[in-house]
Amino acid sequence: MQALTARRAPPALLMALALLGPCGSRAADTPAALPAPELTEDWTPVRVVTPGPTPGAAPSDAIVLFDGQDLSAWQSANGGPPLWKLDQGELLLVPKTGDLHSKAVFGDAQIHLEFRFPEVPAHITGQQRSNSGLFIQGLYELQILDSYGSSTYSNGQLGAVYKQHAPLVNPARPPLQWQSYDIVFTAPRFDAAGKLLAPARMTVLLNGVLVQNNVELKGPTVYRGQPVYAAHGPGPLVLQDHGNEGIRFRNIWIRPLSAR
Ligand code: MG
């Protein structure tokens, strides 16, 4: 190398030697006792998924629960037809009609949804400010609440696992702007006798910003007191009717997760 540079080797050759770097010299330096690098290469094919054409759009293997066309993936809490409205390609919460349940049930999953709050008068504060929520498996609430300039308890604002984990930061957007949740949910594990083996876990990005980092859930969401796990299987996604109007949703999809 020194001899070559002293003779001012052609730039292309210097570039090639630089690129070789440690790899290029490894063969000569590596003791024969070390295992071949190929022994740690995994060639099992990886399933191909086509990503959505724009950020937040459903990838090719997602189950699309709402794409602006219809509410066919949803039902009321009692199993009847959905009572929320399809309005201009958006899902409009209709207060006092009850929660909206996905017909399908899920375990571990990646979830995406977008929501928009109406403008409400300044005197409406705290938990009354466009309250909804996403109950994963119908049990674990990720809060949906207008928290731009939050006026409520931290573990009850947007981005909170309700009453369990306050968000790491508050990246809320103002009313009338679309916001997004991207969630990785790991369902709790129970043994055959119903004993908890592993609690549920959640990672959440709100508007692309990490707000929950693989947090451990203490149990199903409760308003009063401490949560307690009880064995359960897969459950629906449930959007909460907290009695507040003008909350809109769009672009809801889910990818059930399984081992590769
Ligand atoms: Mg709520």
Side-chain angles (χ1 to χ4, degrees):
M1 187 73 178
Q2 277 180 341
L4 280 171
T5 49
R7 282 186 220 150
R8 295 184 182 277
L13 177 55
L14 286 175
M15 179 82 77
L17 288 168
L19 285 174
L20 274 173
C23 291
S25 60
R26 185 169 293 163
D29 298 345
T30 303
L34 284 180
E38 292 78 6
L39 293 176
T40 45
E41 292 175 0
D42 177 1
W43 283 77
T44 314
V46 173
R47 188 164 55 90
V48 174
V49 169
T50 306
T54 53
S60 59
D61 64 345
I63 297 170
V64 176
L65 295 174
F66 180 71
D67 64 359
Q69 299 298 306
D70 58 60
L71 302 185
S72 59
W74 300 89
Q75 60 190 1
S76 294
N78 63 7
L83 299 175
W84 295 15
K85 278 189 189 151
L86 179 65
D87 184 64
Q88 300 171 37
E90 296 160 7
L91 171 59
L92 177 62
L93 192 161
V94 180
K96 316 290 188 196
T97 61
D99 298 341
L100 192 67
H101 293 229
S102 68
K103 290 178 181 171
V105 294
F106 306 99
D108 299 348
Q110 175 187 352
I111 304 161
H112 175 91
L113 85 161
E114 297 170 25
F115 49 91
R116 195 189 85 148
F117 301 120
E119 198 87 69
V120 295
H123 73 266
I124 298 176
T125 60
Q127 293 291 308
Q128 288 310 312
R129 219 174 149 77
S130 299
N131 194 335
S132 180
L134 174 68
F135 281 80
I136 300 173
Q137 297 199 305
L139 295 171
Y140 308 99
E141 185 185 11
L142 180 61
Q143 178 67 298
I144 295 177
L145 184 81
D146 177 4
S147 298
Y148 186 73
S150 179
S151 57
T152 191
Y153 40 95
S154 297
N155 61 356
Q157 71 180 62
L158 183 64
V161 177
Y162 186 74
K163 290 275 182 92
Q164 296 191 27
H165 296 285
L168 294 168
V169 292
N170 179 3
R173 293 194 169 116
L176 304 182
Q177 291 191 22
W178 284 98
Q179 310 198 57
S180 65
Y181 265 145
D182 287 283
I183 304 153
V184 178
F185 176 77
T186 304
R189 299 318 199 239
F190 303 92
D191 69 13
K195 181 173 166 256
L196 181 71
L197 296 176
R201 306 193 78 92
M202 218 189 284
T203 294
V204 181
L205 284 83
L206 168 58
N207 299 326
V209 179
L210 185 71
V211 291
Q212 301 290 348
N213 187 6
N214 196 29
V215 292
E216 189 176 295
L217 275 59
K218 298 167 186 167
T221 302
V222 289
Y223 182 48
R224 302 168 195 270
Q226 297 302 316
V228 179
Y229 274 108
H232 65 83
L237 288 190
V238 174
L239 292 169
Q240 183 188 37
D241 170 15
H242 200 274
N244 297 147
E245 61 186 8
I247 305 171
R248 292 170 176 271
F249 299 87
R250 70 178 186 188
N251 197 20
I252 306 173
W253 51 262
I254 186 166
R255 296 181 62 243
L257 300 177
S258 54
R260 182 179 147 202

